[in-house]
Amino acid sequence: MHIFSPPSMSLRFVPVWRRNLLVWRKLAVPSILGNLADPLIYVLGLGYGLGSMLPEVGGVPYIAFLAAGMVCSSTMNSATFEAMYSAFSRMHVQHTWDAIMNAPVDLDDVVLAELAWAASKSVLSGVAILAVVWLLGLSGSVLSLWVIALLPLIGLTFGALALAVTAMARSYDFFMYYFTLLVTPMNLLCGVFFPVEQLPAAFQAVAAFLPLTHAVAIARPLLLGQIPPDAVLHALVLLAYAAAGFYAATVLFRRRLLK
Amino acid sequence: MAVLAARNLRKSYGGAEVVAGVSFAIAPGECFGLLGPNGAGKTTTLRLCLGLTDPDHGSIELMQRPVPGEARPARARVGVVPQMDNLDPDFTVGENLLVYGRYFGLSEGAIRARIPQLLDFAGLSARAASQIQTLSGGMKRRLTLARALINDPDLIFMDEPTTGLDPQARHLIWERLKQLLAGGKTIVLTTHFMEEAERLCARLAIMDRGRFITEGSPRELILRHIEPHVVEAHGDGVMDWSDREAGKLASRLEKSGETVFCYAADPAPLLSSLANQGELRYLHRPANLEDVFLKLTGRELRD
């Protein structure tokens, strides 16, 4: 197999995905609560605290504006953490991948399984926030159900990008660069906390290239009961990031582990 | 028909040839030992055979399938006990076997039916629900061996299966490997323990600097490469004695630290000379595989 050949995709990833699911099931309740606590504090703290001092943002109360941002951002964070810290532990610390590759499962299958798992776990986080948003009455539209279909795409996008980073990591410290250089800027520039239009033109231009912008651009109208303009275009941008990230991750893992 | 055949394997890393032209064929039911100092290329050879890395030159056939091309289906008939324990720390003993069996595409029912048998083989029947962290080193190795058998493989690769184990645990592993051989399995074993190789392997190769430097049964290698008797002497003045007497009486001498190893076809003259050296302590023993190994690969450290 050439190092640059396209990832081989097969259902052999399923048992590896199930392995991660079995581990997660043992810690499911603390894991969900842990994933929920952080974004919930943001929604409530910023939404009610900051929101009470603000006029309407984008034509709605601030907390309703913030909801879509937090759904996207916490889905991104969940996929990112899983594909970086947890996948790195399995690959580098526990040597779980080595054990799996002695069975009739290839590295490509393992990478696909990690991507699918990171996306699955992030969907759970996203759905948990979404449930809170509904319970708080921040979105009453039937259209908001479509966000559930968007969550896997967000998970695949950020899971794939994070896996490419993991493939290059020598230690956990390496992940700080990705958080500092990409995750934090995305959380602040991509319309999670305030409309992108509030930023200077140069920042807006940067934001237009960042994947989280496109996730928020689909989720926010849906939660507010509108059909998102250019939804297909935004989805294609996310899909392109997911495909590029997955391909890069596959090539980088092959270079690292099959040498 | 060989279960594993390699022809002229070569593999380089950054200009250094780690495997430098290795050929061998392993027959069904055989226990083949691969001996060599650290860095000799043993683990890389195993990785090549499993299709986990591509050779620069040469060809491999594993279970009659070309590797790396059909390595994945070939591995379905193979078990691997890796050098480093990589059991799943998040799972119990039983779950480790269940999850591993799924990687082979085995049905849930087939795996669950097989687990009690494997736990019994590994002496872990009472520990099915134990967490991995609570197991001793020997138990972990036995579980790793049981895991490698989940698919009832024809061929089992073992990379230093008893490194780090106490003698009791080591003997138990050896007994299990003999059981597997008696049951018709083929084993490829790398090891640093000459005793292990002598006990288990019908045929072995000594590897150094990427090449097989000799190959044969343990007995053949001893006959071919070394004098039948060894007298080890140490104590104050041993170097003087060695220069004065042993040089003439032994066919070959090796000095390592404070010990002189005298190799000879007839040990009697050495022993009578030593009998007159009150301050020297000595041991007379038959030559063994370790003597062959040290003669061929040298006594200096390899790190």
Side-chain angles (χ1 to χ4, degrees):
Chain A
M1 178 190 61
H2 196 273
I3 190 168
F4 291 112
S5 48
S8 78
M9 311 266 253
S10 91
L11 286 178
R12 288 187 299 269
F13 86 88
V14 173
V16 183
W17 180 89
R18 286 182 70 191
R19 179 228 164 257
N20 293 347
L21 177 70
L22 183 59
V23 177
W24 177 82
R25 267 173 37 195
K26 296 183 171 227
L27 299 163
V29 173
S31 166
I32 288 183
L33 291 179
N35 273 319
L36 199 55
D38 202 46
L40 199 58
I41 290 164
Y42 272 98
V43 170
L44 297 177
L46 286 179
Y48 288 121
L50 190 60
S52 66
M53 308 185 334
L54 294 174
E56 292 192 333
V57 178
V60 294
Y62 182 61
I63 192 164
F65 174 88
L66 184 61
M70 288 320 300
V71 169
C72 294
S73 146
S74 59
T75 307
M76 168 179 82
N77 286 335
S78 170
T80 304
F81 267 97
E82 189 63 27
M84 294 206 305
Y85 290 92
S86 307
F88 187 77
S89 297
R90 292 188 279 265
M91 169 186 70
H92 189 74
V93 183
Q94 296 176 195
H95 298 280
T96 309
W97 290 18
D98 291 336
I100 296 170
M101 289 189 293
N102 284 332
V105 177
D106 284 331
L107 177 61
D108 284 17
D109 305 320
V110 176
V111 177
L112 178 60
E114 290 289 355
L115 175 61
W117 172 248
S120 308
K121 201 176 162 187
S122 72
V123 167
L124 289 170
S125 297
V127 168
I129 303 297
L130 207 51
V132 170
V133 167
W134 285 323
L135 284 174
L136 292 175
L138 301 177
S139 172
S141 165
V142 181
L143 277 176
S144 67
L145 287 170
W146 280 97
V147 175
I148 297 174
L150 172 67
L151 295 177
L153 185 55
I154 300 177
L156 288 172
T157 301
F158 293 103
L161 294 174
L163 276 176
V165 177
T166 303
M168 293 184 282
R170 294 292 140 194
S171 74
Y172 292 108
D173 297 330
F174 187 75
F175 299 136
M176 257 343 273
Y177 296 114
Y178 184 69
F179 275 100
T180 310
L181 295 174
L182 272 157
V183 176
T184 306
M186 276 197 283
N187 271 320
L188 291 174
L189 298 180
C190 294
V192 172
F193 296 104
F194 49 82
V196 177
E197 295 74 37
Q198 300 296 318
L199 292 167
F203 283 100
Q204 285 194 44
V206 173
F209 283 99
L210 296 172
L212 188 61
T213 306
H214 299 276
V216 175
I218 304 175
R220 181 158 289 136
L222 287 174
L223 280 180
L224 298 177
Q226 300 148 13
I227 292 172
D230 305 322
V232 174
L233 184 68
H234 293 305
L236 284 176
V237 172
L238 292 176
L239 205 58
Y241 268 105
F246 180 51
Y247 178 67
T250 303
V251 170
L252 290 168
F253 277 124
R254 285 174 186 161
R255 200 185 64 175
R256 175 181 187 138
L257 297 171
L258 299 183
K259 65 180 193 314
Chain B
M1 184 77 100
V3 289
L4 172 64
R7 274 172 294 275
N8 197 25
L9 284 186
R10 288 175 183 276
K11 179 76 184 178
S12 298
Y13 291 114
E17 208 165 26
V18 177
V19 177
V22 160
S23 302
F24 56 92
I26 290 157
E30 192 175 16
C31 182
F32 181 78
L34 198 49
L35 273 59
N38 285 332
K42 305 185 297 293
T43 299
T44 303
T45 303
L46 292 195
R47 282 174 56 79
L48 287 167
C49 292
L50 286 165
L52 297 175
T53 185
D54 294 354
D56 299 335
H57 295 285
S59 65
I60 306 158
E61 263 183 40
L62 177 63
M63 309 309 300
Q64 279 92 49
R65 287 175 187 270
V67 169
E70 294 178 30
R72 208 187 47 72
R75 286 202 301 271
R77 301 300 322 131
V78 168
V80 180
V81 177
Q83 197 176 108
M84 209 181 316
D85 265 324
N86 53 23
L87 294 164
D88 233 314
D90 298 301
F91 294 145
T92 64
V93 168
E95 285 167 341
N96 259 282
L97 297 175
L98 174 68
V99 169
Y100 207 73
R102 287 178 184 157
Y103 301 145
F104 287 84
L106 302 172
S107 77
E108 207 81 0
I111 304 170
R112 286 187 193 279
R114 196 161 161 70
I115 286 176
Q117 217 177 311
L118 290 173
L119 289 177
D120 184 46
F121 180 79
L124 292 169
S125 294
R127 305 301 296 262
S130 298
Q131 292 296 321
I132 297 305
Q133 292 86 336
T134 67
L135 301 184
S136 69
M139 288 173 171
K140 284 185 191 165
R141 281 271 97 179
R142 268 139 55 203
L143 179 57
T144 306
L145 175 58
R147 188 183 68 176
L149 301 174
I150 192 79
N151 58 325
D152 194 18
D154 299 315
L155 169 63
I156 306 153
F157 286 97
M158 305 203 168
D159 199 1
E160 299 183 16
T162 61
T163 298
L165 297 188
D166 62 27
Q168 288 86 345
R170 189 175 299 156
H171 277 271
L172 188 56
I173 294 274
W174 289 342
E175 191 206 311
R176 290 300 185 262
L177 298 191
K178 281 182 182 163
Q179 240 173 291
L180 290 172
L181 289 168
K185 306 283 188 205
T186 310
I187 293 179
V188 175
L189 177 86
T190 78
T191 185
H192 291 304
F193 292 110
M194 301 303 136
E195 192 194 348
E196 182 163 287
E198 268 186 288
R199 272 167 187 263
L200 297 171
C201 300
R203 195 160 63 91
L204 46 89
I206 296 179
M207 190 172 191
D208 197 17
R209 299 177 212 283
R211 289 191 172 79
F212 281 11
I213 51 179
T214 191
E215 214 179 321
S217 75
R219 183 178 293 270
E220 277 167 14
L221 294 188
I222 293 167
L223 283 176
R224 191 186 310 156
H225 292 285
I226 207 120
E227 300 77 0
H229 294 274
V230 185
V231 177
E232 296 179 19
H234 59 102
D236 289 340
V238 70
M239 293 304 159
D240 287 344
W241 170 78
S242 140
D243 294 341
R244 210 173 54 239
E245 310 259 338
K248 289 176 283 181
L249 304 174
S251 53
R252 200 163 54 81
L253 284 182
E254 277 184 33
K255 294 172 188 172
S256 177
E258 293 300 301
T259 305
V260 176
F261 293 80
C262 312
Y263 295 91
D266 175 12
L270 279 164
L271 295 173
S272 57
S273 163
L274 279 164
N276 302 321
Q277 307 288 324
E279 65 282 21
L280 295 188
R281 296 203 281 165
Y282 64 94
L283 165 74
H284 170 220
R285 58 173 176 81
N288 61 30
L289 206 50
E290 187 149 323
D291 299 308
V292 177
F293 185 86
L294 289 171
K295 180 184 174 190
L296 297 180
T297 62
R299 286 184 184 268
E300 74 277 17
L301 279 180
R302 308 288 184 85
D303 301 308

